[in-house]
Amino acid sequence: MLIGMQQVIETDDLERSTRVRALEAKVDALYSEIKYYMTKISRAELDERESQRWTEVISFAIHMEQMGDIVERLLLDLEGRNIKQGRSFSPAGRSELCELNSQLRNNLQLAMHVFLHGNVQQAHTLLEAKARFRVLELQYAARHLDRLVGNTLPSMETSALHLDMISDFRRINSLLSAIAYPILERAGALAPSRLKQAEPSTVIASAC
C-alpha cells in the first residue's frame, strides 16, 4: 500500500488509487484472522516469555491494521482534494512527500526485522530512524511554508493536504517505531526518559 500510494502521488492516477485502497480489505481480513488465531491460545498455559510474545504479536498486527487505515484515508483525501479537483502538488512538494514515503518503507522493513528477530541493536536503529524521520518531516514542512510565502500556486492550492499528509506520515512512523519498545524494555534498555543512549549503529542493509 505504501508503494502504491507513492505511485499515486507521482502520477495522480485515480484508478491506481482505487486499486491500492482495495488492499485495505485484505489487511483487515489478515488482521481478523491473526486476532482470531491468537485469542484461541490459552494464555494461562504460556510461560512469561511466551505471554510477552503473544502481546507483541497482537500489538504488531494492530499497528499494521492502523497503518492500512491511515493509507486508505490518505488516498481518499488525494482523490477528493487533488485528483478529482484537477490539482497537483508542486514538483518540490511531490518530491518531498515521495522521499518521506520512501523513508517509511525503509522503516517498515527495519520494523519487521525487529519484530521477527528481537535484535536489540536493530531496535535502537529503528528509534534512531524515527528521530531522523522527524527531522526530515520538520524540514520539509518548513520548506512548504517557504513556498507559500513565495506564492507558488500549486503549493497554495494543495497546502492543507500536503501538511495533513506529512502529519499522517508521522503517525505511521510512530506506529512502526513503537515495535522497538518491547524489545528494548525486555533487554533493560529503556529508562524513565524512555530510551537510554543508544550506541552508534548502522542501518541494516536490507532496510536501505
Side-chain angles (χ1 to χ4, degrees):
M1 291 184 76
L2 288 173
I3 292 171
M5 181 169 64
Q6 174 138 343
Q7 293 168 342
V8 174
I9 294 171
E10 293 172 339
T11 64
D12 295 325
D13 188 328
L14 184 59
E15 291 185 5
R16 186 186 298 274
S17 181
T18 302
R19 291 196 300 271
V20 176
R21 282 196 292 107
L23 294 174
E24 168 59 10
K26 295 183 178 181
V27 174
D28 286 342
L30 288 168
Y31 168 66
S32 295
E33 291 173 11
I34 292 169
K35 184 170 63 174
Y36 177 78
Y37 175 82
M38 296 299 290
T39 56
K40 292 299 181 182
I41 298 174
S42 173
R43 298 190 68 183
E45 298 177 4
L46 303 179
D47 61 26
E48 182 178 357
R49 178 65 192 95
E50 290 169 339
S51 182
Q52 289 175 341
R53 189 56 175 168
W54 187 97
T55 301
E56 291 168 9
V57 171
I58 287 291
S59 295
F60 182 83
I62 290 172
H63 290 170
M64 294 301 104
E65 193 274 336
Q66 290 174 339
M67 284 176 54
D69 287 343
I70 294 172
V71 173
E72 180 185 32
R73 180 167 49 77
L74 282 173
L75 288 169
L76 283 170
D77 283 348
L78 274 169
E79 293 174 18
R81 297 163 68 179
N82 258 26
I83 300 174
K84 292 180 181 179
Q85 301 296 324
R87 297 171 178 170
S88 294
F89 295 114
S90 68
R94 191 188 303 270
S95 176
E96 290 164 3
L97 291 173
C98 287
E99 174 59 24
L100 289 174
N101 183 289
S102 177
Q103 291 298 316
L104 285 179
R105 298 201 311 274
N106 289 343
N107 291 352
L108 173 58
Q109 292 295 320
L110 180 55
M112 292 179 71
H113 275 270
V114 171
F115 170 71
L116 289 171
H117 304 295
N119 182 276
V120 173
Q121 189 57 57
Q122 288 183 348
H124 279 304
T125 301
L126 181 58
L127 293 192
E128 291 166 1
K130 176 187 179 182
R132 288 194 298 271
F133 186 93
R134 178 62 172 160
V135 170
L136 195 62
E137 167 213 329
L138 292 173
Q139 176 184 335
Y140 286 167
R143 287 184 184 178
H144 173 74
L145 295 177
D146 287 342
R147 289 193 295 273
L148 291 183
V149 173
N151 294 319
T152 303
L153 182 59
S155 296
M156 296 176 66
E157 290 180 336
T158 61
S159 177
L161 177 59
H162 185 107
L163 294 174
D164 284 348
M165 290 189 69
I166 289 178
S167 177
D168 280 330
F169 282 173
R170 179 175 68 247
R171 289 184 59 205
I172 292 174
N173 196 52
S174 293
L175 288 170
L176 292 173
S177 61
I179 294 166
Y181 290 116
I183 284 84
L184 294 171
E185 182 177 16
R186 191 163 61 246
L190 286 179
S193 60
R194 295 215 72 173
L195 178 65
K196 295 178 181 177
Q197 184 64 39
E199 295 295 327
S201 63
T202 302
V203 178
I204 58 173
S206 58
C208 296

